[in-house]
Amino acid sequence: MMKAQRAASVRRKKKINWKLESPLHIMMLPSVILLAIFCYYPMYGNVMAFQNFNPGLGFTHSPWAGLKYFRTLFALPDIGQVFFNTVFLASSKLICGTICSIVLALLLNEVRSSLYRRTIQTVVYMPYFLSWVILGSIFTSMLDSDGLVNQVIMMLGGEPIFFLGDNGWFRFILVATDVWKGMGFGTVVYLAAITGIDPTLYEAAVMDGAGRMKQTWHVTLPGMMPIIALTAMLNLGNLMNAGFDQVFNMYNTLVMESADIIDTLVYRLGMVSAKFSLATAVGLLKSVISMVLIATSYILAYKFADYRVF
């Protein structure tokens, strides 16, 4: 009897108050409609991966091909290198970006002048809003054979470096510039985590004779750890996204071995070579892998950080 009463009480608590919440649902409706039009409706085009797609015949009349283009996909000579580049670049950006954002947040937390801290935070946050079309042109000009960086190197007596034509250097450039662009955004999250740490923990650390470094190591970092773990697990879903905008605006034929990723391969197959079915098959495979990674990341986030979407 008591169990039934508790269950009924829980159901009453969970019952949605539509009169109170309907304005919120109405406000959300335009976003849901845009999401359906631009994200879910285009998914119908994935049927091309299983057809000998002919634009003149359309989706409904193009002949069925089954798994033909998936077999072709795995037979591509450079498909292994493309997947390796994608995972390597994406994981390098995630790891380096997380570490740099944490370090910057810790350094900003030590700045006592609020005006100086806000100014620095604004400056490092601004690149996040710049397009890779703009930044790609800037970095290409700076790192060119006769660009600003090489001119400084030669002024110091060194030899010019072919940054944009060397596979080893180009991977480093992609990771470094991506970290520079997104570091300020990540810092906001970790600064918010720091402000949520109980101040009495610092007072207790001072009473025990801990200096600023020990306070950071034994109080600040442990207090940030739940957020660090949560963001790391949720970022697992981006392991197949190496940054098409950045790579497309900066790479060239000399560095295809180290810079060609899944998204650029899809672009070349679909938009340049007009192999629509094969390009769709590559994109669909990437989407399936990303879906598995996202599901895994949410399971890990729920298990270890008690994070849930619903």
Side-chain angles (χ1 to χ4, degrees), residues 113-171:
S113 171
S114 60
L115 177 62
Y116 186 51
R117 183 171 61 250
R118 288 198 299 268
T119 301
I120 296 175
Q121 189 175 346
T122 302
V123 170
V124 298
Y125 191 53
M126 286 177 62
Y128 180 77
F129 297 100
L130 296 178
S131 167
W132 274 115
V133 176
I134 299 172
L135 292 178
S137 300
I138 294 173
F139 286 126
T140 300
S141 299
M142 290 178 60
L143 298 170
D144 199 22
S145 300
D146 55 352
L148 177 62
V149 176
N150 273 318
Q151 289 182 18
V152 173
I153 292 174
M154 288 186 289
M155 286 174 58
L156 296 174
E159 294 292 328
I161 301 173
F162 195 17
F163 291 105
L164 301 178
D166 184 280
N167 283 290
W169 273 109
F170 195 74
R171 279 180 179 164

Side-chain angles (χ1 to χ4, degrees), residues 118-307:
R118 288 198 299 268
T119 301
I120 296 175
Q121 189 175 346
T122 302
V123 170
V124 298
Y125 191 53
M126 286 177 62
Y128 180 77
F129 297 100
L130 296 178
S131 167
W132 274 115
V133 176
I134 299 172
L135 292 178
S137 300
I138 294 173
F139 286 126
T140 300
S141 299
M142 290 178 60
L143 298 170
D144 199 22
S145 300
D146 55 352
L148 177 62
V149 176
N150 273 318
Q151 289 182 18
V152 173
I153 292 174
M154 288 186 289
M155 286 174 58
L156 296 174
E159 294 292 328
I161 301 173
F162 195 17
F163 291 105
L164 301 178
D166 184 280
N167 283 290
W169 273 109
F170 195 74
R171 279 180 179 164
F172 171 78
I173 290 167
L174 288 176
V175 174
T177 53
D178 183 82
V179 170
W180 172 81
K181 183 177 186 294
M183 184 170 55
F185 180 79
T187 301
V188 175
V189 177
Y190 297 117
L191 279 174
I194 292 174
T195 58
I197 298 174
D198 189 352
T200 59
L201 296 176
Y202 291 101
E203 296 173 3
V206 172
M207 294 282 291
D208 291 336
R212 297 302 303 175
M213 183 62 71
K214 288 189 176 180
Q215 289 178 42
T216 300
W217 186 258
H218 295 287
V219 179
T220 308
L221 274 175
M224 295 171 63
M225 199 53 65
I227 297 299
I228 294 173
L230 177 62
T231 55
M233 285 183 284
L234 294 180
N235 282 333
L236 181 64
N238 292 321
L239 202 58
M240 301 302 292
N241 294 319
F244 172 77
D245 292 347
Q246 179 196 22
V247 176
F248 182 75
N249 284 287
M250 293 183 66
Y251 83 148
N252 55 72
T253 55
L254 296 176
V255 291
M256 293 291 284
E257 181 184 344
S258 61
D260 195 19
I261 59 175
I262 294 175
D263 293 327
T264 54
L265 176 64
V266 170
Y267 171 81
R268 290 200 315 278
L269 290 174
M271 301 301 294
V272 178
S273 302
K275 297 178 180 178
F276 302 113
S277 296
L278 183 57
T280 306
V282 177
L284 182 58
L285 177 62
K286 176 201 166 184
S287 298
V288 171
I289 296 174
S290 297
M291 184 183 68
V292 173
L293 290 173
I294 291 172
T296 303
S297 69
Y298 277 101
I299 291 172
L300 293 174
Y302 173 71
K303 184 175 182 180
F304 295 105
D306 197 26
Y307 172 85

Side-chain angles (χ1 to χ4, degrees), residues 13 39 288:
K13 289 180 180 179
C39 293
V288 171

